[in-house]
Amino acid sequence: EYSELHDKLAKELAVSLASRYLEQAQYEERHGKWSSAALSWSKVCEGRPDDSMAHMRAANALLEAKGDLHRAQQLAQRALELRGESADIRRLLGRVYIAAGLKLNARRELMMAIAIDPKDTLAQSLLAQIKD
């Protein structure tokens, strides 16, 4: 009973603080404070579990901070679930996989990004870098 009440209050608090964390995350990103931005974006995701942009930005901040790549992958995949096919998110997943040393997964994601947006020069460049 107390546990349920605690969970309910924690969710309400996360929702109410999400916009404050969003502003903080954007400030931290602008100033290159990637670890802090990753934490702030994660808190935005808690309060806005269906916000694809927040999940994508959290994943990107984790990647830039050289943080938990498994968590970055989960966040990016959630963003993809929420938004549907997106070259930006596929490219981000590709970057996460490159950082994790998973070349085959990276190649697959980057090829999907290029299939969605054939003019995605960043995805093309990343794909060229991982070809053996």
Side-chain angles (χ1 to χ4, degrees):
E1 188 175 308
Y2 287 116
S3 175
E4 288 176 23
L5 180 60
H6 177 268
D7 291 348
K8 183 177 184 248
L9 289 173
K11 283 180 186 167
E12 289 175 10
L13 186 61
V15 169
S16 70
L17 292 175
S19 49
R20 188 174 301 160
Y21 281 121
L22 183 136
E23 288 177 22
Q24 187 174 329
Q26 290 172 331
Y27 172 85
E28 291 160 346
E29 274 184 343
R30 281 193 303 273
H31 292 87
K33 298 180 181 202
W34 294 109
S35 294
S36 299
L39 184 60
S40 295
W41 278 118
S42 291
K43 290 181 185 271
V44 174
C45 292
E46 288 173 24
R48 299 180 181 176
D50 297 330
D51 184 337
S52 66
M53 185 272 303
H55 284 76
M56 187 175 168
R57 301 276 287 269
N60 183 67
L62 269 173
L63 180 62
E64 293 293 335
K66 297 178 176 37
D68 182 346
L69 295 175
H70 184 67
R71 181 72 181 131
Q73 174 197 1
Q74 291 172 332
L75 288 161
Q77 286 175 330
R78 177 68 179 141
L80 196 60
E81 288 171 19
L82 292 167
R83 187 183 296 176
E85 283 302 319
S86 161
D88 291 342
I89 299 172
R90 292 287 182 188
R91 185 178 60 244
L92 175 60
L93 269 167
R95 290 178 52 225
V96 170
Y97 288 134
I98 289 170
L102 301 170
K103 287 184 177 184
L104 289 176
N105 292 15
R107 186 173 289 126
R108 180 189 69 231
E109 294 298 336
L110 293 168
M111 288 175 74
M112 282 197 256
I114 294 165
I116 296 165
D117 179 6
K119 294 179 180 160
D120 187 336
T121 56
L122 183 52
Q124 291 169 1
S125 172
L126 290 167
L127 186 60
Q129 289 175 26
I130 60 172
K131 288 204 170 165
D132 294 322

